[in-house]
Amino acid sequence: MIAGIDIGSRSMELVLLDKNEMVLERKLPTTFDPASQLKIILDGVKADLISATGYGRKLVTEEICGAPCVSLTEIKAYALGISYLFPEARTILDIGGQDTKAISLMKNGKVAKFEMNDRCAAGTGKFLEHLATVFQLPIEEFGNYALGGTEPLTINSMCTVFAETEATSLMAQGKNPRDIALGLHASIVRRTTNMLHRVGLSEPFVFAGGVANNPCVINMLTDALNIKPLVPEGPDMVGALGSALYGKSLTEIS
Amino acid sequence: MSESAYKEMWENLNLDVAAHDGLLEVLGKFYGDIYMSQQGRLQGMEYLDFVLSEVHGLRIKELMDAKAEGKKIIGTFCVFVPEELSLAVEAVQVGLCAGADAGTEAAETVVPRNTCALIKSFIGFKMAKICPYTESCDLIIGETTCDGKKKAYEAFGEMAPMHIMEVPQRKEASDRVLWKSEVLRLKDELEKLTGKTVTAESLKKGIKIVNEKRRALQRLNKLRAAKPTPISGRDVLLINQVSFYDDPIRFTASINDLCDQIDERIAKSEGIVPENTPRLMLSGCPMAVPNWKLPYIIESSGAVVVAEESCIGTRNSRDLVDESGETVEEMIDAICDRYMKIDCACFTPNNERMDNIKELAEEAGVDGVIHYSLMFCQPYTHETFKVEKALAGQDVPMLAIETDYSMEDVEQLKTRVEAFVEMIS
Ligand code: SF4
Ligand code: SF4
């Protein structure tokens, strides 16, 4: 039994693999105390090996988990997870809580090239999450809300704080809030399409990570690229799945 | 020598002693974490540990003693300043490039915020009065290798005695003429400062000393690339950094000793990492002391650095000055030729650099290259694209990193470097 864990800035996910079967999936918020959350998510889990990815991958140690532990980066984890779900996939976009990554894959599923946002949270899930609160909406509804707009208003700033200033000043001008929301989504899409072109976008193209739950981003991405992305079921579980697959590959070697 | 005696020396140099204590503390801790924690280091590294522990102590004392004997101290920021000439007038040449985030706020009052960390650092060190080397200098030689430096020296020149060399930007015959006139102008300036004349004999000696230093570094660069890797990339980087400010003769002897030890290791097939550890080359902007952030991240991500295409690396030691000249004129020509081979990104075009990178990657048998540029460094960041293309032609994968001296992006960098290492393993 192999446990794959993805500890992101916002949430952590667990996938338990028995042979090739996913036998368990769990998700918890990371909170300010990830070590305690880790114990909770692993509660009752009997794994032979724990494989961790994500921002908090180094937190996972034998002492905390009671099983041998290994780690890998999100980039490799997403490559493994996506190749398992879509063996033909050539490009991956992963927008998570604080990171956005574009990955191109070779035919054998290995990473050929990747790009990551640097330093700030522009163009990541955090950006949308923060702006959803300005609209007093839960993040899960923000995408659908924006889809109700007709004409995206231009938001120039990529910076979360400045984008908020722009959005509120547009609100003060009496603009349609849905159009503002649409504009905010558009700014994320603009940023990620650049990243995708830098790694060389080719099909099949898979969109994963938490933001792939957002229908507005999917729509706008489709329009901007002229490619409809494949979105896995439970797009935020891919990291944990890839992580578990990595653990499994290690046990198979030995 | 006791700490208190150093204190007096620092006070005499007009350092801000409290701020300086702070810098030393950070440096010491950094050094401990990054260097002393390594396993299986060569004995010869003790020399470097010592040199570094005394970087603001004994070495400065030596500079003070030299000054007392009437010698002059020449500070430099760049590998374009011929140390041969300084030695020929019995001056001591030290590299000043600063690699720490200190005095940044002060620096930003005289240079724009969007300036590379290296420039802000050398200005910051000066304004915060924390660098005993800067304060010891009788003359500091600047050079026009990039717009940032060029303009920064105007501000720096108001705080310190400076001489600026104009480095050409192309490598045509007319540029060689310009460069030679600049080398001669430096010679005059040095002669005026020291009251000594560059003679055929003294210049020959200077050339010899610097060539020997470069030969030792060349030897080290060959040996480090053995499989399994006999010495960490961090240690070699440190050696290259120290080569800029330690006494050249002592340095050469110590590095040759160290190389003997490495020879023994290689004979026994002993490495500091397992044979199959991914081998990386670092390429790009210079890394001044104590800028060890990226090498440390790389070597704690399961890879080892086996080559450095950088001014604090092979660019400083790859070419020698021809030793056959007999007259001052001939030797000056030989010096000019040697320095015109430097493949700094400030040149246009700069195709030699691509060739040199390809060659080095091949020789050192690397699995990948990490191209490092300081944020806001136009010349090297521009060349990132070309380097990537040149390497792609040889199927060598490359990761481009743009960063500065701050620690805010360490986690990000770790993920990117680890992912790159996974990709090439
Ligand atoms: S990169 Fe260019 S400017 Fe900087 S030290 Fe090297 S040669 Fe000089
Ligand atoms: S790092 Fe780049 S910008 Fe900074 S001094 Fe060197 S060449 Fe100039």
Side-chain angles (χ1 to χ4, degrees), chain B residues 72-97:
Chain B
K72 299 292 178 194
I73 313 295
I74 310 294
T76 65
F77 294 112
C78 166
V79 298
F80 267 103
V81 183
E83 190 178 2
E84 293 86 348
L85 286 176
S86 296
L87 293 175
V89 290
E90 284 175 50
V92 181
Q93 184 164 313
V94 289
L96 294 180
C97 266

mmCIF file of all heavy atoms in Angstrom, chain B residues 72-97:
data_model
loop_
_atom_site.group_PDB
_atom_site.id
_atom_site.type_symbol
_atom_site.label_atom_id
_atom_site.label_comp_id
_atom_site.label_asym_id
_atom_site.label_seq_id
_atom_site.Cartn_x
_atom_site.Cartn_y
_atom_site.Cartn_z
ATOM 1 N N LYS B 72 50.834 49.938 -2.491
ATOM 2 C CA LYS B 72 49.481 50.452 -2.687
ATOM 3 C C LYS B 72 48.491 49.302 -2.863
ATOM 4 O O LYS B 72 48.843 48.233 -3.376
ATOM 5 C CB LYS B 72 49.433 51.357 -3.927
ATOM 6 C CG LYS B 72 50.328 52.574 -3.817
ATOM 7 C CD LYS B 72 49.822 53.555 -2.768
ATOM 8 C CE LYS B 72 50.767 54.749 -2.644
ATOM 9 N NZ LYS B 72 50.519 55.563 -1.445
ATOM 10 N N ILE B 73 47.256 49.558 -2.464
ATOM 11 C CA ILE B 73 46.200 48.539 -2.600
ATOM 12 C C ILE B 73 45.257 48.980 -3.721
ATOM 13 O O ILE B 73 44.729 50.094 -3.707
ATOM 14 C CB ILE B 73 45.376 48.395 -1.293
ATOM 15 C CG1 ILE B 73 46.291 48.293 -0.066
ATOM 16 C CG2 ILE B 73 44.423 47.207 -1.391
ATOM 17 C CD1 ILE B 73 47.167 47.080 -0.009
ATOM 18 N N ILE B 74 45.072 48.076 -4.665
ATOM 19 C CA ILE B 74 44.218 48.363 -5.823
ATOM 20 C C ILE B 74 42.969 47.484 -5.745
ATOM 21 O O ILE B 74 43.070 46.263 -5.667
ATOM 22 C CB ILE B 74 44.948 47.998 -7.139
ATOM 23 C CG1 ILE B 74 46.358 48.599 -7.188
ATOM 24 C CG2 ILE B 74 44.127 48.391 -8.362
ATOM 25 C CD1 ILE B 74 46.400 50.098 -7.239
ATOM 26 N N GLY B 75 41.820 48.093 -5.734
ATOM 27 C CA GLY B 75 40.573 47.325 -5.706
ATOM 28 C C GLY B 75 39.989 47.196 -7.107
ATOM 29 O O GLY B 75 40.122 48.111 -7.929
ATOM 30 N N THR B 76 39.369 46.051 -7.386
ATOM 31 C CA THR B 76 38.761 45.857 -8.715
ATOM 32 C C THR B 76 37.394 45.206 -8.564
ATOM 33 O O THR B 76 37.091 44.606 -7.533
ATOM 34 C CB THR B 76 39.604 44.918 -9.591
ATOM 35 O OG1 THR B 76 39.606 43.616 -8.984
ATOM 36 C CG2 THR B 76 41.025 45.401 -9.737
ATOM 37 N N PHE B 77 36.605 45.334 -9.603
ATOM 38 C CA PHE B 77 35.283 44.699 -9.610
ATOM 39 C C PHE B 77 35.157 43.674 -10.718
ATOM 40 O O PHE B 77 34.112 43.074 -10.876
ATOM 41 C CB PHE B 77 34.204 45.754 -9.839
ATOM 42 C CG PHE B 77 34.080 46.730 -8.724
ATOM 43 C CD1 PHE B 77 34.434 48.047 -8.888
ATOM 44 C CD2 PHE B 77 33.615 46.315 -7.490
ATOM 45 C CE1 PHE B 77 34.305 48.949 -7.854
ATOM 46 C CE2 PHE B 77 33.500 47.210 -6.445
ATOM 47 C CZ PHE B 77 33.842 48.535 -6.630
ATOM 48 N N CYS B 78 36.183 43.503 -11.512
ATOM 49 C CA CYS B 78 35.931 42.782 -12.746
ATOM 50 C C CYS B 78 37.212 42.132 -13.238
ATOM 51 O O CYS B 78 38.314 42.638 -12.994
ATOM 52 C CB CYS B 78 35.411 43.786 -13.774
ATOM 53 S SG CYS B 78 35.400 43.206 -15.452
ATOM 54 N N VAL B 79 37.082 41.015 -13.950
ATOM 55 C CA VAL B 79 38.256 40.283 -14.417
ATOM 56 C C VAL B 79 38.980 40.986 -15.568
ATOM 57 O O VAL B 79 39.965 40.467 -16.086
ATOM 58 C CB VAL B 79 37.909 38.841 -14.840
ATOM 59 C CG1 VAL B 79 37.370 38.048 -13.663
ATOM 60 C CG2 VAL B 79 36.924 38.815 -15.990
ATOM 61 N N PHE B 80 38.491 42.141 -15.964
ATOM 62 C CA PHE B 80 39.179 42.861 -17.041
ATOM 63 C C PHE B 80 40.398 43.657 -16.576
ATOM 64 O O PHE B 80 41.165 44.148 -17.392
ATOM 65 C CB PHE B 80 38.213 43.824 -17.749
ATOM 66 C CG PHE B 80 37.576 43.198 -18.945
ATOM 67 C CD1 PHE B 80 36.278 42.734 -18.911
ATOM 68 C CD2 PHE B 80 38.319 43.035 -20.110
ATOM 69 C CE1 PHE B 80 35.719 42.121 -20.009
ATOM 70 C CE2 PHE B 80 37.756 42.428 -21.216
ATOM 71 C CZ PHE B 80 36.456 41.974 -21.167
ATOM 72 N N VAL B 81 40.552 43.824 -15.277
ATOM 73 C CA VAL B 81 41.661 44.644 -14.792
ATOM 74 C C VAL B 81 42.917 43.773 -14.652
ATOM 75 O O VAL B 81 42.931 42.858 -13.838
ATOM 76 C CB VAL B 81 41.307 45.290 -13.436
ATOM 77 C CG1 VAL B 81 42.433 46.198 -12.980
ATOM 78 C CG2 VAL B 81 39.991 46.052 -13.539
ATOM 79 N N PRO B 82 43.952 44.038 -15.459
ATOM 80 C CA PRO B 82 45.112 43.150 -15.458
ATOM 81 C C PRO B 82 45.916 43.217 -14.151
ATOM 82 O O PRO B 82 46.551 44.215 -13.858
ATOM 83 C CB PRO B 82 45.970 43.661 -16.628
ATOM 84 C CG PRO B 82 45.096 44.580 -17.412
ATOM 85 C CD PRO B 82 44.083 45.113 -16.459
ATOM 86 N N GLU B 83 45.849 42.119 -13.404
ATOM 87 C CA GLU B 83 46.590 42.047 -12.144
ATOM 88 C C GLU B 83 48.098 42.105 -12.411
ATOM 89 O O GLU B 83 48.889 42.546 -11.570
ATOM 90 C CB GLU B 83 46.217 40.751 -11.407
ATOM 91 C CG GLU B 83 46.748 40.705 -9.982
ATOM 92 C CD GLU B 83 46.344 39.447 -9.211
ATOM 93 O OE1 GLU B 83 45.668 38.571 -9.792
ATOM 94 O OE2 GLU B 83 46.738 39.337 -8.036
ATOM 95 N N GLU B 84 48.498 41.673 -13.613
ATOM 96 C CA GLU B 84 49.914 41.689 -13.989
ATOM 97 C C GLU B 84 50.523 43.071 -13.785
ATOM 98 O O GLU B 84 51.651 43.197 -13.300
ATOM 99 C CB GLU B 84 50.075 41.284 -15.467
ATOM 100 C CG GLU B 84 49.720 39.829 -15.798
ATOM 101 C CD GLU B 84 48.235 39.604 -16.077
ATOM 102 O OE1 GLU B 84 47.421 40.518 -15.807
ATOM 103 O OE2 GLU B 84 47.874 38.512 -16.554
ATOM 104 N N LEU B 85 49.755 44.089 -14.165
ATOM 105 C CA LEU B 85 50.270 45.456 -14.056
ATOM 106 C C LEU B 85 50.392 45.896 -12.605
ATOM 107 O O LEU B 85 51.366 46.542 -12.219
ATOM 108 C CB LEU B 85 49.365 46.426 -14.821
ATOM 109 C CG LEU B 85 49.456 46.385 -16.346
ATOM 110 C CD1 LEU B 85 48.426 47.340 -16.947
ATOM 111 C CD2 LEU B 85 50.855 46.760 -16.820
ATOM 112 N N SER B 86 49.407 45.542 -11.800
ATOM 113 C CA SER B 86 49.476 45.906 -10.386
ATOM 114 C C SER B 86 50.713 45.280 -9.742
ATOM 115 O O SER B 86 51.426 45.927 -8.987
ATOM 116 C CB SER B 86 48.226 45.444 -9.647
ATOM 117 O OG SER B 86 47.096 46.122 -10.153
ATOM 118 N N LEU B 87 50.922 44.003 -10.061
ATOM 119 C CA LEU B 87 52.081 43.318 -9.478
ATOM 120 C C LEU B 87 53.382 43.945 -9.965
ATOM 121 O O LEU B 87 54.363 44.017 -9.225
ATOM 122 C CB LEU B 87 52.046 41.824 -9.820
ATOM 123 C CG LEU B 87 50.889 41.040 -9.181
ATOM 124 C CD1 LEU B 87 50.878 39.594 -9.686
ATOM 125 C CD2 LEU B 87 50.968 41.062 -7.660
ATOM 126 N N ALA B 88 53.384 44.415 -11.209
ATOM 127 C CA ALA B 88 54.602 44.986 -11.779
ATOM 128 C C ALA B 88 55.003 46.292 -11.091
ATOM 129 O O ALA B 88 56.153 46.712 -11.168
ATOM 130 C CB ALA B 88 54.430 45.210 -13.280
ATOM 131 N N VAL B 89 54.028 46.917 -10.392
ATOM 132 C CA VAL B 89 54.405 48.112 -9.620
ATOM 133 C C VAL B 89 54.339 47.801 -8.120
ATOM 134 O O VAL B 89 54.173 48.696 -7.292
ATOM 135 C CB VAL B 89 53.510 49.333 -9.951
ATOM 136 C CG1 VAL B 89 53.800 49.839 -11.357
ATOM 137 C CG2 VAL B 89 52.028 48.994 -9.802
ATOM 138 N N GLU B 90 54.451 46.519 -7.825
ATOM 139 C CA GLU B 90 54.475 46.031 -6.440
ATOM 140 C C GLU B 90 53.247 46.433 -5.644
ATOM 141 O O GLU B 90 53.315 46.626 -4.424
ATOM 142 C CB GLU B 90 55.741 46.505 -5.719
ATOM 143 C CG GLU B 90 56.965 45.714 -6.153
ATOM 144 C CD GLU B 90 58.230 46.271 -5.534
ATOM 145 O OE1 GLU B 90 58.242 46.460 -4.302
ATOM 146 O OE2 GLU B 90 59.185 46.525 -6.283
ATOM 147 N N ALA B 91 52.141 46.576 -6.317
ATOM 148 C CA ALA B 91 50.895 46.859 -5.600
ATOM 149 C C ALA B 91 50.175 45.539 -5.316
ATOM 150 O O ALA B 91 50.507 44.509 -5.895
ATOM 151 C CB ALA B 91 50.010 47.776 -6.434
ATOM 152 N N VAL B 92 49.207 45.594 -4.414
ATOM 153 C CA VAL B 92 48.402 44.416 -4.100
ATOM 154 C C VAL B 92 47.030 44.627 -4.722
ATOM 155 O O VAL B 92 46.399 45.666 -4.499
ATOM 156 C CB VAL B 92 48.237 44.254 -2.573
ATOM 157 C CG1 VAL B 92 47.412 43.013 -2.256
ATOM 158 C CG2 VAL B 92 49.598 44.187 -1.899
ATOM 159 N N GLN B 93 46.581 43.658 -5.507
ATOM 160 C CA GLN B 93 45.266 43.812 -6.140
ATOM 161 C C GLN B 93 44.245 42.914 -5.446
ATOM 162 O O GLN B 93 44.492 41.722 -5.265
ATOM 163 C CB GLN B 93 45.361 43.489 -7.632
ATOM 164 C CG GLN B 93 44.051 43.718 -8.375
ATOM 165 C CD GLN B 93 44.234 43.766 -9.891
ATOM 166 O OE1 GLN B 93 45.125 44.445 -10.400
ATOM 167 N NE2 GLN B 93 43.396 43.038 -10.612
ATOM 168 N N VAL B 94 43.120 43.487 -5.070
ATOM 169 C CA VAL B 94 42.064 42.678 -4.446
ATOM 170 C C VAL B 94 40.739 42.900 -5.156
ATOM 171 O O VAL B 94 40.424 44.006 -5.584
ATOM 172 C CB VAL B 94 41.889 43.012 -2.940
ATOM 173 C CG1 VAL B 94 43.067 42.518 -2.123
ATOM 174 C CG2 VAL B 94 41.655 44.498 -2.716
ATOM 175 N N GLY B 95 39.973 41.812 -5.270
ATOM 176 C CA GLY B 95 38.645 41.908 -5.873
ATOM 177 C C GLY B 95 37.653 42.417 -4.842
ATOM 178 O O GLY B 95 37.702 42.028 -3.690
ATOM 179 N N LEU B 96 36.767 43.290 -5.259
ATOM 180 C CA LEU B 96 35.844 43.891 -4.290
ATOM 181 C C LEU B 96 34.402 43.453 -4.457
ATOM 182 O O LEU B 96 33.577 43.733 -3.601
ATOM 183 C CB LEU B 96 35.876 45.420 -4.403
ATOM 184 C CG LEU B 96 37.167 46.102 -4.023
ATOM 185 C CD1 LEU B 96 37.012 47.600 -4.198
ATOM 186 C CD2 LEU B 96 37.527 45.781 -2.586
ATOM 187 N N CYS B 97 34.088 42.804 -5.560
ATOM 188 C CA CYS B 97 32.697 42.454 -5.823
ATOM 189 C C CYS B 97 32.031 41.959 -4.562
ATOM 190 O O CYS B 97 32.551 41.081 -3.891
ATOM 191 C CB CYS B 97 32.599 41.357 -6.881
ATOM 192 S SG CYS B 97 32.381 42.062 -8.494
#
